[in-house]
Each structure stands twice: as structure tokens, then as C-alpha cells.
Amino acid sequence: MPEIAYINSSFIPLEKAFVPINDRGYLFADGIYEVIVTRNGKTFLIQEHLERLQKSADELLLKLPHTLSEFIEIIDQGIKKAGFNETMVYIQITRGIEPRRHNYSADLKSNLTMTFRPHPEYDPQLIREGVAIITVPEIRWSRCDIKSIALLPNIMMKQKAVEMGCQEAVFVTKEGIVREGTASNIFFIKNKILYTPPADQHILGGISRNYILQQAAAHGLEQIERECTLEEILSADEVFITSSTVDLMPVIKIDETTIADGCPGPVSKIIKNFFPTVPTIMRN
Ligand code: PDD
């Protein structure tokens, strides 16, 4: 089954899709994105993802080329055309195409591209046994709530984690405040209470994060959103990271510290079951 792209309002084979050299996404990373996956063939939390796309666009004064319901229609068509069991939909919208200049024309037309690829195979061992992550200095800007395609610190730090044999790198400020992973949010559990950093401008308000908080509340699990220190996370009963591509991944080691007894904990297992299907391996 071919991977496909949506570009210039048409679906074409992915390897035939190219963007112009003057696309401001290519020149400046002047754009936004979303990653949406299917579960049992159906898009999961699509409305929430598209609302976040709208919010990112509004923050950057970037015009979305479609209404949210038009987006849903195009995405559904792409998923059908691609024909994978489970699909990972990548949506990117850049400010548009014009010769390089930092400021942009008021009437510039934004450029929408999408890719439809198979959702990667899931590795049950990682979920069963948990993963190791590293901490890295928070060197990003102070609008991490915008899902911008400008991700240099994230890719540098993720690469470092992978080269160290770890699944994720988590940004920590010099004051010891834990923010989030390079492509995930972080939670910890202490005395059966669920903690996660607040969805302010320092982190991306993850759709999986929100879903977990809603589900946890519905299941009567006490939860607190507040600044979390590295010190308290290292002494937590359980730690996990979340994203649309992994759902929930238990963390059993952070840098040199083993979390609790080094095994995924019972509350993480309960929360994991809030998700409709078995999740996938985190993409390296
Ligand atoms: N990233 N924080 C950051 C910095 C992220 O890039 C992501 C997701 C998340 C989790 O958000 P969500 O639950 O909505 O997927 C948190 C996507 C998956 C990516 O860049 O591929």
C-alpha cells in the first residue's frame, strides 16, 4: 500500500510530493503542524487536534485554508485512499510561498500539506517493561504551547536520547522544573495522586494529556496540575510519558535513577487502558 501525500489539493504518492524552495516552512520553519492517528481505523480525538491546530494558527496570525469540517473530510478521504490498518496523519501548514524576506505579505496564501503513513508497529515489550529517558536543559522559547514546526532543540535532544539508548529526553529548567519531553508530556504518581505540569506557555497542551486528565477524573483518580520538580519526579511511585503516537509509555529510569522498583506501576497500567486500542512504539 503506498504512502500518500496531500499537496496542492490532490492526493499523490508520497515520493512524488515536493514543496517549492520559497515555502516559508522550508526557509524559516514558519508553520504549524498536527499528528493524528487512527484507532481501529478511525481518527482518534480529531476534533481536539483540529481545535489545537486552529489555536496555533491564531497565535501566529496564520490563516487556515479550510474549516475544521473540511479538514475532517480531507483527512477521512486520505485515510481511505491510503488503506492502511492504522494511519498516522501528519498535517503541516506553512505561512505560504514567496521569496525569502523575514516579514511576509499580508495576502500570502498558507500552504497545506499532509502525509498519510502507516502507524508504526507497537512493541509490547516497551510497554510491559517501561523505558529509560534522560533529562536535558530547557533551551526552548517561551511559547511551547504553539505546535510550531520549528523543533531544533527537540530534535537535538531526542537524537541525544536515542544515541544513549533512551526513548525520550525531558526538558528541565535550571531551577529544576520539569517541563515535557521532546515529543511527549510527562506525568508522575505519588501516593495514588496523578501529577503533571500545567498546560501553560512552557509546554504543548497534549491531546493525550488532556484525554488522560479527563478519563482519570471520570474514574475518580485525584489529579494535580502544577509545576513539578525533577527531585520529586525521581522519587515518584510511577512516571510515564504520553503522546498521540505512544498513548502512554511507562518510564522506569531517568538518567541514572531507577524509578521506584524499576517496573511499570499499577496506576499507569489502569490509565493505559483508558485508550481504545493497543498503542504503538515511540518513533525514534
Ligand atoms: N508530538 N509535547 C511535545 C513537545 C510534542 O511534540 C507532543 C507531540 C506532545 C504530546 O502531544 P499529543 O498528546 O497531542 O500528541 C507534547 C507529536 C506526536 C510529534 O511531534 O510527532
Side-chain angles (χ1 to χ4, degrees):
M1 206 65 77
E3 296 185 345
I4 60 174
Y6 181 81
I7 183 165
N8 297 327
S9 306
S10 321
F11 293 100
I12 59 170
L14 193 73
E15 70 275 10
K16 299 220 163 89
F18 296 96
V19 291
I21 201 163
N22 278 337
D23 187 306
R24 287 181 63 93
Y26 177 69
L27 293 172
F28 291 115
D30 186 358
I32 54 174
Y33 77 105
E34 278 295 329
V35 177
I36 304 174
V37 298
T38 61
R39 314 241 164 234
N40 302 314
K42 296 211 170 59
T43 48
F44 184 55
L45 302 173
I46 189 166
Q47 190 69 28
E48 289 81 349
H49 279 280
L50 292 175
E51 281 167 12
R52 185 172 65 187
L53 185 70
Q54 179 75 66
K55 179 177 164 279
S56 297
D58 291 347
E59 292 292 342
L60 298 179
L61 307 177
L62 207 155
K63 284 181 242 87
L64 288 190
H66 294 290
T67 63
L68 300 198
S69 47
E70 285 166 354
F71 268 110
I72 291 176
E73 226 168 88
I74 298 166
I75 291 165
D76 283 346
Q77 272 180 41
I79 289 168
K80 276 203 197 85
K81 277 185 199 296
F84 303 123
N85 284 342
E86 300 292 4
T87 313
M88 183 166 57
V89 183
Y90 176 77
I91 308 171
Q92 177 166 306
I93 295 158
T94 64
R95 194 174 302 278
I97 302 160
E98 67 177 349
R100 186 178 187 279
R101 180 184 61 162
H102 286 66
N103 59 312
Y104 50 88
S105 305
D107 57 352
L108 197 59
K109 196 170 151 284
S110 58
N111 194 25
L112 164 67
T113 51
M114 295 190 206
T115 61
F116 297 81
R117 297 168 51 213
H119 194 6
E121 284 296 300
Y122 115 93
D123 180 352
Q125 196 183 342
L126 291 182
I127 311 292
R128 218 173 34 241
E129 296 178 5
V131 298
I133 65 174
I134 58 168
T135 59
V136 291
E138 175 61 290
I139 55 168
R140 301 176 303 162
W141 72 331
S142 53
R143 289 309 309 272
C144 294
D145 55 316
I146 300 171
K147 202 159 171 60
S148 153
I149 59 172
L151 288 171
L152 258 187
N154 305 53
I155 61 172
M156 300 301 290
M157 299 309 183
K158 174 76 177 203
Q159 184 67 19
K160 183 174 175 191
V162 170
E163 284 173 7
M164 292 173 71
C166 294
Q167 280 294 316
E168 179 59 302
V170 170
F171 293 105
V172 182
T173 69
K174 54 183 183 312
E175 294 79 24
I177 306 297
V178 174
R179 298 293 194 212
E180 63 177 339
T182 64
S184 60
N185 292 116
I186 188 160
F187 288 77
F188 77 92
I189 292 149
K190 188 76 183 177
N191 300 328
K192 299 206 164 53
I193 301 174
L194 182 63
Y195 294 85
T196 196
D200 55 19
Q201 298 191 345
H202 299 300
I203 69 164
L204 183 74
I207 303 302
S208 325
R209 173 191 178 282
N210 292 347
Y211 178 74
I212 286 172
L213 291 176
Q214 280 166 12
Q215 293 290 316
H219 287 78
L221 186 61
E222 194 178 337
Q223 52 183 266
I224 299 178
E225 292 176 70
R226 62 145 168 82
E227 278 198 343
C228 303
T229 65
L230 179 58
E231 204 183 350
E232 63 185 339
I233 293 187
L234 293 179
S235 62
D237 300 329
E238 303 178 36
V239 178
F240 59 83
I241 52 174
T242 65
S243 81
S244 301
T245 45
V246 299
D247 290 350
L248 179 157
M249 185 72 76
V251 172
I252 51 156
K253 198 170 171 218
I254 303 180
D255 296 328
E256 295 312 313
T257 304
T258 299
I259 304 302
D261 63 356
C263 295
V267 184
S268 305
K269 285 180 194 157
I270 292 168
I271 294 175
K272 178 148 200 53
N273 288 330
F274 294 160
F275 287 90
T277 56
V278 188
T280 60
I281 188 170
M282 182 173 256
R283 288 166 298 135
N284 284 334

